Amino acid sequence: MEGFSFWTDVRIRFAETDAQGIAHHASFVVWLEVARVAHLAKHAGGYQAIRDGGIEALTTEVNLRYHRAAYFDEALRVWARCGDLRGARFAYEYRVERDGELVADGYTRHATVDRDTYRPTRVPAWLADAIATAEASSG
Amino acid sequence: MEGFSFWTDVRIRFAETDAQGIAHHASFVVWLEVARVAHLAKHAGGYQAIRDGGIEALTTEVNLRYHRAAYFDEALRVWARCGDLRGARFAYEYRVERDGELVADGYTRHATVDRDTYRPTRVPAWLADAIATAEASSG
Amino acid sequence: MEGFSFWTDVRIRFAETDAQGIAHHASFVVWLEVARVAHLAKHAGGYQAIRDGGIEALTTEVNLRYHRAAYFDEALRVWARCGDLRGARFAYEYRVERDGELVADGYTRHATVDRDTYRPTRVPAWLADAIATAEASSG
Amino acid sequence: MEGFSFWTDVRIRFAETDAQGIAHHASFVVWLEVARVAHLAKHAGGYQAIRDGGIEALTTEVNLRYHRAAYFDEALRVWARCGDLRGARFAYEYRVERDGELVADGYTRHATVDRDTYRPTRVPAWLADAIATAEASSG
């Protein structure tokens, strides 16, 4: 994956399918989150570290384009990368693949807020540094 | 419904179906909760009132027996009643019907805990009274 | 709501919240579907009628922007309108409100396919007509 | 785990938590299914093999007892074993553990039906044999 260096794998659960016989489109939103959490765990000490630092990262936008149907018990690879870090905002891009074939792609946008006041708060320097380092090393 | 006086209606969402073409069995667990929340809203000032009183009501057991399959967009009636209130514990019974036909039945058990310490705490008297009154009036 | 004439109401379920204490962002994707299904039920004989006609409507894109957090047991109004009907494609726009205040907005895109071959199939004339009539009458 | 020889691991997703700050009780129902599917994949050619054989395995009962709360990002081990195979019925037992500590336990019951007629159909001999062999070898 050009530009991506991190991925996580998910296997489609039966509960994630629907009566069309395919993975329900809302299931993908959860898989993006799984990848985001795994990415932060690897590069930034984990989502829990962010929360422990008095910060909540809210999701402010989700975009997903579905290119192929996916089915029960299939293994999907979710590529994720973080970028566009500015002030209290950052974004993630994703590609969801099955055996190298594009199934879906999309992005999410996030805002960091103070956990008590819910006011926008700059992404902490340690988190910004961790993300910058992660993406730089992914060449 | 003999012994039941409270119900709430749900319509089966497409996201709640699975690749067998029926409502996924985990969806029913959520519908029981919807009925429980509605029952508490009517009889005990609402689940939020319980939480605001420094109490969390944890679910300690779920039991569901599925008698018939249910399908997308069907209207289900979820009958619920509370009982078996003792100390820090109470229970709910349920019947899920479609046009008067039994689709599923079951029960849940719950324990009240202090919101800060998570230690078991007696069901508050106001809640116990509200529940007792509710069930007495249901004849 | 300027340009919208159809809405459906949902009440946030406890199962739809997350450990941030708010409605999980994936829950909104399901609520958009609930509104879409209700809109089709009113204007086009229902989603089931589409499926019975040998057509599946696949979701090809979801976009959601979250403007305010939403909480357990809140009542949300989901405004929906259909448009941009071309060949085998159509789209929906949404606004999610709480007491008239914007909580989220977004759109979904869809493609109609033959139920057996999963090949793109023009939106049936009866469905296209129903949608056009619905939106024209909404002034 | 005495009597259990098969397990599968899940990590608690953020979407699976609720506003009590813990994993929502309905999430466990899905994890039992994940373990069941993995068990069948190992011992009986997979759930898909069952479906391909013209059989659907319906869930007829779920029972879960929750002993401890579980939290976001925790790793849970779900032990599963199949048994009580009679005619068109079989059952599963489960224990959900975190670092060897019991978090929940329960069982599910299932019925095999013909995929076209939805009439009860004996569990196919190949499936019964596979399950019997699996459990015998688990000593």
Side-chain angles (χ1 to χ4, degrees):
Chain A
M1 283 302 309
E2 198 182 340
F4 286 89
S5 63
F6 178 85
W7 77 84
T8 194
D9 289 337
V10 297
R11 186 167 289 274
I12 300 177
R13 300 171 173 184
F14 199 73
E16 293 169 337
T17 63
D18 64 30
Q20 286 185 333
I22 62 177
H24 189 267
H25 62 283
S27 304
F28 287 75
V29 178
V30 175
W31 301 332
L32 301 193
E33 183 180 71
V34 168
R36 202 159 65 238
V37 164
H39 182 271
L40 287 170
K42 181 174 179 190
H43 294 301
Y47 180 39
Q48 196 60 45
I50 298 173
R51 303 189 80 207
D52 289 347
I55 302 285
E56 288 283 358
L58 302 177
T59 298
T60 57
E61 186 173 354
V62 169
N63 192 85
L64 262 163
R65 287 178 301 168
Y66 306 90
H67 301 285
R68 288 179 177 79
Y71 298 88
F72 168 58
D73 212 28
E74 288 185 338
L76 299 180
R77 178 152 294 181
V78 186
W79 297 85
R81 68 177 166 203
C82 185
D84 206 17
L85 193 70
R86 277 182 292 186
R89 299 186 173 277
F90 63 97
Y92 265 89
E93 290 182 316
Y94 312 87
R95 280 177 65 96
V96 182
E97 295 185 339
R98 175 185 49 212
D99 297 331
E101 188 179 61
L102 181 65
V103 171
D105 57 6
Y107 62 83
T108 54
R109 296 190 187 284
H110 306 273
T112 44
V113 296
D114 181 278
R115 201 175 178 179
D116 293 322
T117 64
Y118 266 69
R119 295 211 173 170
T121 302
R122 290 183 69 83
V123 176
W126 65 267
L127 177 55
D129 288 349
I131 289 170
T133 305
E135 297 309 327
S137 69
S138 73
Chain B
M1 283 303 306
E2 198 182 341
F4 285 90
S5 64
F6 179 84
W7 78 84
T8 194
D9 290 336
V10 297
R11 186 167 289 274
I12 300 177
R13 299 171 173 184
F14 199 73
E16 293 168 338
T17 63
D18 65 30
Q20 286 185 334
I22 63 177
H24 189 268
H25 62 283
S27 304
F28 287 75
V29 178
V30 175
W31 300 332
L32 300 193
E33 182 180 73
V34 167
R36 202 159 65 238
V37 164
H39 182 271
L40 286 170
K42 181 174 179 190
H43 294 301
Y47 181 38
Q48 196 59 47
I50 299 173
R51 305 189 79 208
D52 290 346
I55 302 286
E56 287 283 357
L58 302 177
T59 298
T60 57
E61 185 173 354
V62 168
N63 192 85
L64 261 163
R65 289 179 298 169
Y66 306 89
H67 303 285
R68 288 180 176 78
Y71 299 88
F72 168 59
D73 212 30
E74 288 185 340
L76 299 180
R77 178 153 295 181
V78 187
W79 297 84
R81 68 177 166 203
C82 186
D84 206 17
L85 191 72
R86 279 181 290 185
R89 299 187 173 276
F90 62 97
Y92 266 89
E93 291 182 316
Y94 312 86
R95 282 176 64 94
V96 181
E97 296 185 337
R98 174 186 48 212
D99 297 332
E101 189 178 59
L102 181 65
V103 172
D105 57 7
Y107 62 83
T108 55
R109 296 192 187 283
H110 305 273
T112 45
V113 296
D114 181 277
R115 201 175 178 178
D116 293 321
T117 64
Y118 265 70
R119 297 212 171 166
T121 301
R122 289 183 69 85
V123 175
W126 65 268
L127 176 55
D129 289 348
I131 289 171
T133 306
E135 297 309 328
S137 70
S138 73
Chain C
M1 282 301 305
E2 198 182 341
F4 285 89
S5 63
F6 179 85
W7 78 83
T8 194
D9 290 337
V10 297
R11 186 167 289 273
I12 300 177
R13 299 171 173 183
F14 199 73
E16 293 168 337
T17 64
D18 64 31
Q20 286 186 334
I22 62 177
H24 189 267
H25 62 285
S27 304
F28 287 76
V29 178
V30 175
W31 300 332
L32 300 193
E33 182 180 72
V34 167
R36 203 160 63 239
V37 164
H39 182 270
L40 286 170
K42 182 174 178 189
H43 293 303
Y47 180 39
Q48 196 60 45
I50 297 173
R51 304 190 80 208
D52 290 346
I55 302 286
E56 288 283 357
L58 302 176
T59 298
T60 58
E61 186 172 353
V62 168
N63 192 84
L64 262 163
R65 288 179 300 169
Y66 306 90
H67 302 285
R68 289 179 176 79
Y71 299 89
F72 167 59
D73 212 31
E74 288 185 339
L76 300 180
R77 178 152 294 181
V78 187
W79 296 85
R81 68 179 166 202
C82 186
D84 208 16
L85 191 71
R86 278 181 292 184
R89 298 187 172 278
F90 62 98
Y92 265 89
E93 290 182 318
Y94 311 87
R95 280 177 66 94
V96 181
E97 296 185 338
R98 174 184 50 212
D99 297 332
E101 188 179 60
L102 181 66
V103 171
D105 57 6
Y107 62 83
T108 54
R109 296 191 188 283
H110 306 272
T112 44
V113 297
D114 181 278
R115 202 174 178 179
D116 293 320
T117 64
Y118 265 70
R119 297 212 171 167
T121 301
R122 290 183 70 84
V123 175
W126 65 267
L127 177 55
D129 289 349
I131 290 170
T133 305
E135 297 309 328
S137 69
S138 75
Chain D
M1 283 301 309
E2 196 182 341
F4 285 89
S5 63
F6 179 85
W7 78 83
T8 194
D9 290 337
V10 298
R11 186 167 288 276
I12 300 177
R13 300 171 173 184
F14 199 74
E16 293 168 338
T17 63
D18 64 31
Q20 285 186 333
I22 63 176
H24 189 268
H25 62 283
S27 304
F28 287 75
V29 178
V30 175
W31 301 332
L32 300 193
E33 182 181 72
V34 167
R36 202 159 62 238
V37 164
H39 182 272
L40 287 171
K42 183 175 178 190
H43 294 302
Y47 181 38
Q48 196 61 46
I50 298 173
R51 303 190 81 209
D52 290 346
I55 301 287
E56 287 284 357
L58 302 177
T59 298
T60 57
E61 186 173 353
V62 169
N63 192 84
L64 262 162
R65 288 178 301 169
Y66 306 90
H67 303 285
R68 286 179 178 79
Y71 299 88
F72 169 58
D73 213 29
E74 288 185 339
L76 299 179
R77 178 152 295 182
V78 186
W79 297 85
R81 68 177 166 203
C82 186
D84 206 16
L85 193 70
R86 278 182 290 186
R89 299 188 172 277
F90 62 97
Y92 266 89
E93 290 182 316
Y94 312 86
R95 280 177 65 94
V96 182
E97 296 185 338
R98 174 186 48 212
D99 297 332
E101 188 179 61
L102 181 64
V103 172
D105 57 5
Y107 62 83
T108 54
R109 297 190 187 284
H110 306 272
T112 44
V113 296
D114 181 277
R115 201 175 178 179
D116 293 322
T117 64
Y118 266 69
R119 295 210 173 170
T121 301
R122 288 183 72 83
V123 175
W126 65 267
L127 176 55
D129 289 349
I131 289 170
T133 305
E135 297 309 328
S137 70
S138 75

